[in-house]
Amino acid sequence: MGGICLNKPLVLTCDIGTQSARSLFVDPDGNILDVCQSKYAEPYFSKEPGWAEQKPEFYFDRLCQTAKTLCARNPALLPDVQAVTITCIRDTVLCLDENNTPLRDIILWLDKRVSDPEGAMPAWKMLLFKLVGMEETAKIVYAASAGNWIMRNEPEIWAKTKKYVMLPTYLNYKLTGNLVDSASNMVGHVPFDYRRRRWMKASDLTRCFCDIPVEKLCDLVPSGTVIGSITPEVSALTGIPAGLPLIATGSDKGCETLGLAVTGADKAAISFGTTATIQLNVKDYFEPQQFLPAYPAVQNDRYNPEIEIYRGFWLLSWFVKEFGAADAADAQALGCAPEALLDQRIRDLPPGCDGLLLQPYWTAGILQPDSLGAVIGFTDHHTRYHFYRAIIEGLCLELYMALQIMEKRSGLHIGEIRIGGGGAKSDVVCQIAADVFGLPVTRTQTHEACSIGSSMAAFVALGVFDGYDAAVAAMVRVKDTFQPNEENHRIYAAIYQQAYSKIYSRLRPIYRKIIGLKRRTAP
């Protein structure tokens, strides 16, 4: 964190994540003057296997809690706060009635319920999709839409639904009374035209993937637009001064990419968060994978092609919970986090974990719905520490494969990796990433890059900077860079080419059989 600099314009940014909520004061030099975090005891609940839901006011309540604490302990900073921003998890949706009151619990991006796509889309379109090799993708995308599931399984809820919105849209409404959102936030299973940054027209070919009537969708504005003003009622709940403008930004990953200063086509942003992603920032639209859209960037004239791993550094928390009780106890006695202690215990293990290889598909991706996690190469030599390091290596190898795909599809050549998210705090993780990619891996002055990017949109809108290039130059500083060990990179390149890149294609038939057996034996 930087030192407190009074009399500079500040932005209060609220970062609503999957596992915690944070409120922060950010200044134009990229300093975080103070942060208040609320970790969720229960990030989501599951009424059925694979479901992920949360109570309608859960995230707003956490926003109020963190903002109120932040404002209460920094009264001297409040006169300098010029605007508020929100950055939020994606593809997390609510059904609202005519009074904008939620009709059911929130469905999170982690939710894996599906709708049967057979017969759901026009036959002539399905024939066309089949002719262009898109039939399977159409079925996958239709099946994954929470909106489609609600229409078919909760018709009484859908009949009452006046608006179907993303979580940041609802939070905008709670703070200002205006049900409006940025086009840069529309990342999810909604009928959105990513290239043109608008809702799809009724005639658009792929609207049938999730054919939500346009009157049920919110109004869209460019990022940097004033959504509205903080209401007196919200001021009483949060301590945020009434009347401050709420300025539209973008999704959490888009803000993080911007906050890492990935604004040109020579760098890639890796987020080691609950979801692990690799994202670019480009002027010209291209699909990062066939039929997968590039998302709208925070900058209104740019795009963020992205490939994600649904269970990213959540896997490390999962490992500690399931296998690391002794390490967690040791860490508590030493006064450090379990992950920090585990870093020390895996530091000297060799690249490749003595032949142990992990594919991190604990949750299947949209374009690989028949994938499962896999760990291969076990011998009696391996310990739980090999397993822990194999998780990190598996995530890096999967992201390396994603970069290879995007470079091939775009013709771009990436020369540097910028890294953010909770996993970026680990020197061991950063060095493994540098060795896998064979590229410099750079950390900036804070792992809160998402909040830095979100606040940039406000500072640009307020005229503090004349554009995003100036904002990035002022607000982002390189903290350190991890250079790749060339010998380790040669080892990882051989592992990738000879083994890792072949796992999914070889195991896919077995995955399909396992999934079929699970369905037949399910109660």
Side-chain angles (χ1 to χ4, degrees):
M1 295 184 188
I4 293 181
C5 302
L6 299 179
N7 303 317
K8 285 189 176 182
L10 304 180
V11 171
L12 193 161
T13 292
C14 301
D15 181 353
I16 309 299
T18 304
Q19 301 190 71
S20 71
R22 294 181 293 283
S23 291
L24 312 91
F25 286 132
V26 183
D27 76 10
D29 296 320
N31 297 313
I32 294 174
L33 305 187
D34 195 9
V35 55
C36 178
Q37 181 178 27
S38 172
K39 293 185 178 180
Y40 313 147
E42 186 181 36
Y44 61 88
F45 54 83
S46 302
K47 297 176 184 175
E48 300 286 346
W51 291 18
E53 299 185 347
Q54 193 49 270
K55 292 299 179 183
E57 299 306 316
F58 178 85
Y59 299 103
F60 179 67
D61 289 345
R62 296 310 182 279
L63 184 157
C64 292
Q65 173 190 335
T66 56
K68 190 165 190 176
T69 299
L70 183 75
C71 292
R73 70 188 184 203
N74 293 282
L77 295 180
L78 290 181
D80 297 324
V81 178
Q82 302 296 305
V84 180
T85 65
I86 298 173
T87 184
C88 207
I89 50 177
R90 310 176 300 187
D91 199 17
T92 296
V93 296
L94 297 92
C95 293
L96 306 180
D97 67 13
E98 59 186 7
N99 298 313
N100 292 329
T101 301
L103 290 162
R104 67 175 323 284
D105 292 331
I106 297 170
I107 300 180
L108 274 70
W109 63 273
L110 286 165
D111 194 279
K112 289 301 170 186
R113 74 189 76 194
V114 295
S115 299
D116 185 358
E118 294 303 324
M121 292 173 279
W124 70 270
K125 286 192 175 185
M126 292 306 296
L127 178 60
L128 183 57
F129 294 149
K130 185 174 183 178
L131 290 173
V132 299
M134 196 177 172
E135 180 183 23
E136 188 63 23
T137 299
K139 291 180 178 179
I140 290 169
V141 176
Y142 179 92
S145 167
N148 289 335
W149 188 92
I150 295 169
M151 288 184 227
R152 298 183 65 168
N153 293 275
E154 296 179 346
E156 69 288 352
I157 294 292
W158 192 251
K160 297 176 184 176
T161 297
K162 183 73 172 180
K163 292 291 183 180
Y164 181 78
V165 300
M166 301 280 193
L167 177 59
T169 316
Y170 182 62
L171 294 178
N172 289 345
Y173 167 73
K174 294 290 288 186
L175 292 175
T176 69
N178 297 327
L179 197 70
V180 180
D181 209 348
S182 163
S184 300
N185 260 329
M186 295 302 108
V187 179
H189 293 86
V190 286
F192 184 71
D193 184 332
Y194 291 92
R195 185 192 294 267
R196 297 173 182 83
R197 304 172 76 99
R198 59 166 172 76
W199 297 121
M200 288 183 179
K201 296 179 180 179
S203 58
D204 284 350
L205 181 65
T206 59
R207 205 182 204 285
C208 60
F209 292 178
C210 185
D211 197 12
I212 297 170
V214 68
E215 63 269 15
K216 290 185 185 288
L217 301 167
C218 74
D219 292 335
L220 298 178
V221 297
S223 62
T225 300
V226 174
I227 295 289
S229 300
I230 301 300
T231 66
E233 294 79 11
V234 167
S235 179
L237 293 171
T238 63
I240 302 172
L244 282 179
L246 175 68
I247 296 176
T249 62
S251 68
D252 53 356
K253 300 299 184 183
C255 286
E256 186 170 28
T257 292
L258 179 60
L260 290 169
V262 175
T263 56
D266 60 335
K267 298 181 181 70
I270 285 181
S271 176
F272 281 138
T274 303
T275 299
T277 61
I278 183 163
Q279 190 173 96
L280 309 181
N281 190 319
V282 298
K283 185 75 172 178
D284 298 323
Y285 183 94
F286 76 90
E287 294 180 344
Q289 290 177 290
Q290 189 178 26
F291 309 130
L292 183 70
Y295 302 136
V298 176
Q299 305 102 307
N300 292 308
D301 60 348
R302 300 188 72 85
Y303 301 96
N304 291 145
E306 174 194 285
I307 296 177
E308 65 181 334
I309 308 170
Y310 277 90
R311 293 293 191 175
F313 268 67
W314 171 91
L315 284 173
L316 299 187
S317 301
W318 169 83
F319 176 90
V320 171
K321 177 183 176 183
E322 300 297 337
F323 305 109
D327 300 291
D330 289 347
Q332 184 174 18
L334 293 170
C336 65
E339 292 83 359
L341 182 61
L342 284 163
D343 276 355
Q344 299 303 315
R345 291 176 174 176
I346 68 169
R347 185 183 296 275
D348 296 327
L349 292 177
C353 292
D354 292 316
L356 193 64
L357 199 57
L358 181 143
Q359 187 179 58
Y361 294 171
W362 263 237
T363 296
I366 291 296
L367 298 184
Q368 296 171 325
D370 52 6
S371 60
L372 297 169
V375 189
I376 60 175
F378 269 119
T379 70
D380 59 2
H381 173 71
H382 289 118
T383 67
R384 67 178 181 272
Y385 303 121
H386 287 85
F387 192 170
Y388 188 81
R389 182 175 174 119
I391 293 174
I392 298 169
E393 292 185 343
L395 289 167
C396 290
L397 286 164
E398 184 68 19
L399 292 170
Y400 177 74
M401 180 161 64
L403 182 60
Q404 302 296 304
I405 292 169
M406 288 198 287
E407 285 186 326
K408 184 176 180 180
R409 292 183 65 84
S410 66
L412 298 173
H413 178 70
I414 301 302
E416 181 187 350
I417 303 294
R418 292 291 179 100
I419 190 169
K425 291 184 284 187
S426 164
D427 289 0
V428 172
V429 168
C430 291
Q431 189 61 56
I432 290 174
D435 293 348
V436 169
F437 281 84
L439 295 172
V441 167
T442 298
R443 290 190 296 202
T444 58
Q445 78 271 19
T446 174
H447 67 277
E448 301 280 9
C450 180
S451 297
I452 296 293
S454 179
S455 64
M456 276 186 199
F459 283 125
V460 171
L462 292 168
V464 175
F465 302 111
D466 61 7
Y468 284 101
D469 289 343
V472 165
M475 297 184 67
V476 182
R477 298 179 294 281
V478 170
K479 176 186 176 186
D480 49 22
T481 299
F482 296 79
Q483 297 293 340
N485 179 300
E486 294 303 327
E487 176 59 27
N488 289 348
H489 178 60
R490 282 192 287 273
I491 293 169
Y492 283 124
I495 290 170
Y496 174 77
Q497 292 164 7
Q498 299 174 34
Y500 189 85
S501 62
K502 304 178 188 302
I503 293 177
Y504 176 67
S505 61
R506 301 292 174 83
L507 291 183
R508 188 180 186 191
I510 298 174
Y511 289 159
R512 286 181 164 180
K513 291 184 183 298
I514 291 172
I515 291 168
L517 288 168
K518 283 172 61 180
R519 287 171 179 163
R520 288 199 293 272
T521 58

